[in-house]
Amino acid sequence: MNQNYIKPDNWSIIEEGFDKESVKSSESLFSIGNGAMGQRANFEETYSGETFQGSYIAGIYYPDKTKVGWWKNGYPEYFAKVLNAPNWIGIDIIINGENLDLNQCTEIKNYRRELNMKEGWYNRSFEASMKNGTQVAVNVRRFLSLDLDEVGLINYEITPLNKDAKIVYKPYIDAGVTNEDANWDEKFWEPLEVKRTGNEAFVTAQTYKTHFKVTTFMHNSVFSNGKNLNLSPINSETTTEKITVSYDVIVAKGEKSSIQKIGGYTVSLNHENTLLGAENAIKQALTIGFGQLLENQIEAWAKIWEMSDITIDGDVKAQQGIRFNIFQLNQTYLGKDSRLNIGPKGFTGEKYGGSTYWDTEAYCIPFYMATKDQQVARNLLTYRYNQLDKAIENAQKNLCFTNGAALYPMVTMNGEECHNEWEITHEEIHRNGAIAFAIFNYNRFTGDYSYIPEKGLEVLIGIARFWHQRANFSKDKNQFVILGVTGPNEYENNINNNFYTNFIAKWCIDYTYEQIQKVALEYPLDHKRIVEKVNLSVVELKEWKKVSGNMYFPKSDELGIYLQQDGFLDKDLVLVKDLDKSQRPINQKWSWDRVLRSPYIKQADVLQCFYFFEEHFTKEELQRNFEFYEAFTVHESSLSPCVHSIQAAKLDKMDMAYTFYLRTSRLDLDDYNKEVEEGCHITSMAGTWMSIVEGFGGMRVKNDALHFSPKIPKEWKGYSFKINFRNQIVTISVTHNDIQFSLEGNKGITVYVNQKAVLVEPNSLVVV
Amino acid sequence: MNQNYIKPDNWSIIEEGFDKESVKSSESLFSIGNGAMGQRANFEETYSGETFQGSYIAGIYYPDKTKVGWWKNGYPEYFAKVLNAPNWIGIDIIINGENLDLNQCTEIKNYRRELNMKEGWYNRSFEASMKNGTQVAVNVRRFLSLDLDEVGLINYEITPLNKDAKIVYKPYIDAGVTNEDANWDEKFWEPLEVKRTGNEAFVTAQTYKTHFKVTTFMHNSVFSNGKNLNLSPINSETTTEKITVSYDVIVAKGEKSSIQKIGGYTVSLNHENTLLGAENAIKQALTIGFGQLLENQIEAWAKIWEMSDITIDGDVKAQQGIRFNIFQLNQTYLGKDSRLNIGPKGFTGEKYGGSTYWDTEAYCIPFYMATKDQQVARNLLTYRYNQLDKAIENAQKNLCFTNGAALYPMVTMNGEECHNEWEITHEEIHRNGAIAFAIFNYNRFTGDYSYIPEKGLEVLIGIARFWHQRANFSKDKNQFVILGVTGPNEYENNINNNFYTNFIAKWCIDYTYEQIQKVALEYPLDHKRIVEKVNLSVVELKEWKKVSGNMYFPKSDELGIYLQQDGFLDKDLVLVKDLDKSQRPINQKWSWDRVLRSPYIKQADVLQCFYFFEEHFTKEELQRNFEFYEAFTVHESSLSPCVHSIQAAKLDKMDMAYTFYLRTSRLDLDDYNKEVEEGCHITSMAGTWMSIVEGFGGMRVKNDALHFSPKIPKEWKGYSFKINFRNQIVTISVTHNDIQFSLEGNKGITVYVNQKAVLVEPNSLVVV
């Protein structure tokens, strides 16, 4: 596998030169998506080399029977897997009787991939010499329409270079696909119906068990030198799950022949009759036309960039990195549909299954809040509200909690827990805290309180009830403790009194308590409705406060730090810098017990608490804790460097902040962890955005106002970003000399720079 | 499934009346074995109802590819499974054209199973009315010869009761068998060769991967009213893995027809040519004859009982219980072969795979030491010595230890670790301590020191090196700690400073250190050889002593107890007696996290330390710790009640001791845990023996002498047992009135009763 081969470019991801060792990595990096569907950058034509095939449809999953070595009571029966969806991109190409296959060609020149992030399309071009002596130039453009989000388009163009060619185009759609990570090698798709009419074809299949019905469709047109030949297929092959049609053309040397394939999916989540939906989708796409759809695509992406772009001046790799992150986040989730969420691999791979982790609340919501309409973040919150009953059932059924206590799942699609490691599934319960925190954070950022009486308060009550029951009173300590948890640092399992967990548990109870009081005063009808629905009593609230008011927090007075957990100082405290490099990454080099008893930290844990709740701590406390824990942090999670980058920036450790920033922003592009071929780390990409906005920009919301304390790495000339703050769009540009603000909107806004108020008027530049 | 249906009897296990619900449980309870092979009490004839088929050959295993949900670095690739061996017992019976099948008969009367433990045979008899109207009486006797341990014998006798019958006997041997717990439904046996000559047949197969070659054989003779008809088969069916032959007889109403089947296995562990071996085995068996082999069997069991029987007067259920335990232990392991060990299910089921757990050292060795020649226990120790290199490799390869540190596997067949839960495989390291303790215990009991310089010292050094590296210095405590372990109480995982583990770690280092000094003085040549071989230096020994001399032990001064682990007193300390019964067994009712953070104890942990090392503690300490921990112990391990019984007896809590005794001795017979259909709990049966000998009898070895402090439960009139102490056989009988000793041998022995010396002379009775 190759690392670090992507060409630096401000706006595009570019690969040059064909190398089989890069194919799977590039399939991930050049993935495209439009929020509703997406796919890896698999070749359209046959490829007999190493490849990882993947197309994905948002919200469509398969409950794969749990596989474990030793069953533990309370494990879920299924793991909801991201499904490899039917293939609609395939086009076999036969040239002068030989199948075009880059793994078989005698020479490949000028091979180039480009993912144009500015305009939202992907292009692949090359010149190939085939075994039969034919030389061809090929250029393929593909995009998934933001405009018609059930539709993708391919223009596959071939130019014979050294002789005339008989070309057979064999576009197909195929539901006979499998998942690489299927637990039991089961088939996930049950074929229902195939239909072909002229240049159109449809394969309808449904997922086993979940019965999501999907019609995969295609429509093909063959062109010569840009002119539609209006060909009909000369042949077609149909099985129960696959349709292939064939078009024959004779192409003179130097002429451009092409096939335009329109394809995609219609799904039963959105259509009563998916076949009819598919026919309409083709009709719409043909009406608008390939060229116009591409224009629309460019325009739609321009709108996205207008709001969410971050510019970095003087550091093209950093610039490319941040744009790649922003681009992927927008490909994965556009926030239109509260049934959807942000999968950890987006549409770039299968790994980790599920769609929803605590990553959404802890890392992604800030990005979507600041770069989209507030409805997008509200949809993400509503997703959890809609799954509250299942979270209550989860706490009840699997974990013996009572009284409406809710434990949100570690990994989920439909609200049911999928994961099956006791130390994670049952013990990494801090996730519940992040879900409550996101409600607070949403209100703090958007000022929209209405979500809380409408929906959020019920979620908060379920969560507060969980923490109340999960803590127990230690007679020995005369305080409440939380035993047997896994914190954000998953290199510790089944520990007692994880500082972060205890802190967020207390915070959740207190915050919920406050919101109940506030809703009682300001939304009495909602209060009445909710109190009745969840059967909440004053006695119960008093019991909550006993726990939150007397929570135990492990700390070391000598070191002036909070302890990640009880007993942390018993460890053999060798610093990461003193650890032999050959031992890293420790999770690949060491057995799990060794990882666990080591002091090494996978990702921010105590420091995650300082990140979420910084106003609860002094800067001196941050400094002591940061210096202590950073020295033990190995950052073997993609979610780790961003939090450290933000805190390093706050502590004026700018070199460190910059190093962490680069690591997070180019994690996939440079393939630091040698695993990008499995897919990209989508959710951590929001952390990259935070590193700039909250780290270097120092953006915070306090008392309904935007605050900044901008800093700039010495490696950069300048950077800028935009924030949609309550429908006012503030642009901030930072250089080594000054800080500039501008504003789109009608009325002025007061922002704070290093705690000084700055009035920014619409359409005028303020220089600080 | 039925519980508690076995008829009380002093010498036999008896079931009366046919009940489909009992078939699988009885298949376990009526299992027979001869140390070399064994099998569940499956019916010979067809049975279409629920059954769990199992035949097993000692030492023959299959490395089943590991199945886990989430792979962790350091997991073993294979789990060595006890293999379901080819079936040699099968005899299909066709009577007047109908297949005899107890699941299809219209009526079954006088159904009776008997496992005669005194004589070592199993009998099944019944009268069945078949659908075709034929009524037959059937009597089947089966035993596995102790004399010829590759041979088993069946006499299957049929008497038509209401009409003449045409009977077709179809005995078969079949290698086409599977394991119920195969991870991937793979076939484990590869058929190699089939051969039939006259009344003999042979199927040779080998295990995949491990290539153990096994010839399964049979020889059949058909009798009428006890007279050999010298029939030849009229027919045979042969596949690549199965041979069936048919014998036809016409049997008049009231006549007794029978088939005698000789069968069994010859294995490549013992034969170069297994087929030749099988032919010889048949020849030998025919030469001796069924009747004489049964006589020999009775005699061989008489010899075993002569040495190992325990009598209990006035409590037939207790008597039956202890004999069942002793019988099963002798069926499982006879100590002839140091390649073998004591599987947790013996020859009664597949569960738990492997053959060797710490149970061998902690629970079984005392039984074998006291009831067999010392060579048997020495063979068990030698088994570990022979696997030392693999234990070193295990510590090195999987766990990054260096310098010859040895970690013996949690579960093994050939010395390689099989288990794959990090919290057990990598953290339940106390097993290493039990292996060292067994060496000490062997020497203490037998007085045979020679094992240590010859073999044991190398094992001890590997283990001491492990503990030395596994502990780390806590600056915070200024002592050595052992982090991240699972103690004997497996209801705690990844805990810090398990008292038992820390104690045995220190003890191992100190004991090894002492043995090195002793061997240096008394066996200088061995010392030189070993020191050179393992490259041991004085500097290293000093480092060891730093750890053992400054080990941390968690305790509560307030309660005057040792703490099971750091933080134990933070738990919600609800006593077992106050726990709602509906919540038990907790491991079936609660999710794992709830089990872990509860105070409930699966099996003796701190109390295991008091059991192994009682001379290190005062009786008052035992009392405080016993009373504290017993109140939290749920005894959900078969290994738990015996240790508590012994300690309760010591503390004069005789009612408690008796309750625990009954629980351990009739665990399987009364099926307390509703799981006997999976097989019997063989290794815990040695604990039952300890409950009487060490618990009620108070037997200890101190300063090369036997000590007793006998007590007797009020429910009993008396009890007696024998101890082979250094080739002198002491019998002790206890009643409420007196204690009697007698001795077989040539010279007298001084034993101590409640610390008073008593001289026992050969062949005379001493009453105390």
Side-chain angles (χ1 to χ4, degrees), chain A residues 61-118:
Chain A
Y61 62 92
Y62 178 81
D64 204 11
K65 196 168 144 262
T66 297
K67 183 175 77 172
V68 294
W70 304 90
W71 188 270
K72 291 264 198 285
N73 209 29
Y75 276 172
E77 293 191 43
Y78 299 105
F79 194 111
K81 290 278 170 76
V82 166
L83 260 178
N84 183 18
N87 181 332
W88 69 261
I89 67 164
I91 311 175
D92 289 336
I93 308 280
I94 292 125
I95 301 177
N96 289 334
E98 181 181 331
N99 204 1
L100 179 62
D101 175 353
L102 289 185
N103 197 41
Q104 299 293 335
C105 289
T106 55
E107 194 182 5
I108 298 164
K109 287 196 298 189
N110 297 325
Y111 178 88
R112 185 176 191 275
R113 298 203 201 221
E114 177 179 357
L115 179 63
N116 187 308
M117 301 188 287
K118 189 172 184 185

Side-chain angles (χ1 to χ4, degrees), chain B residues 284-295:
Chain B
Q284 275 186 286
L286 289 172
T287 305
I288 305 177
F290 189 100
Q292 188 58 46
L293 278 166
L294 183 55
E295 291 292 311

Side-chain angles (χ1 to χ4, degrees), chain B residues 129-144:
Chain B
S129 302
M130 299 177 69
K131 285 185 175 151
N132 62 11
T134 318
Q135 292 171 7
V136 289
V138 171
N139 189 66
V140 193
R141 178 157 301 192
R142 189 159 94 204
F143 65 97
L144 301 183

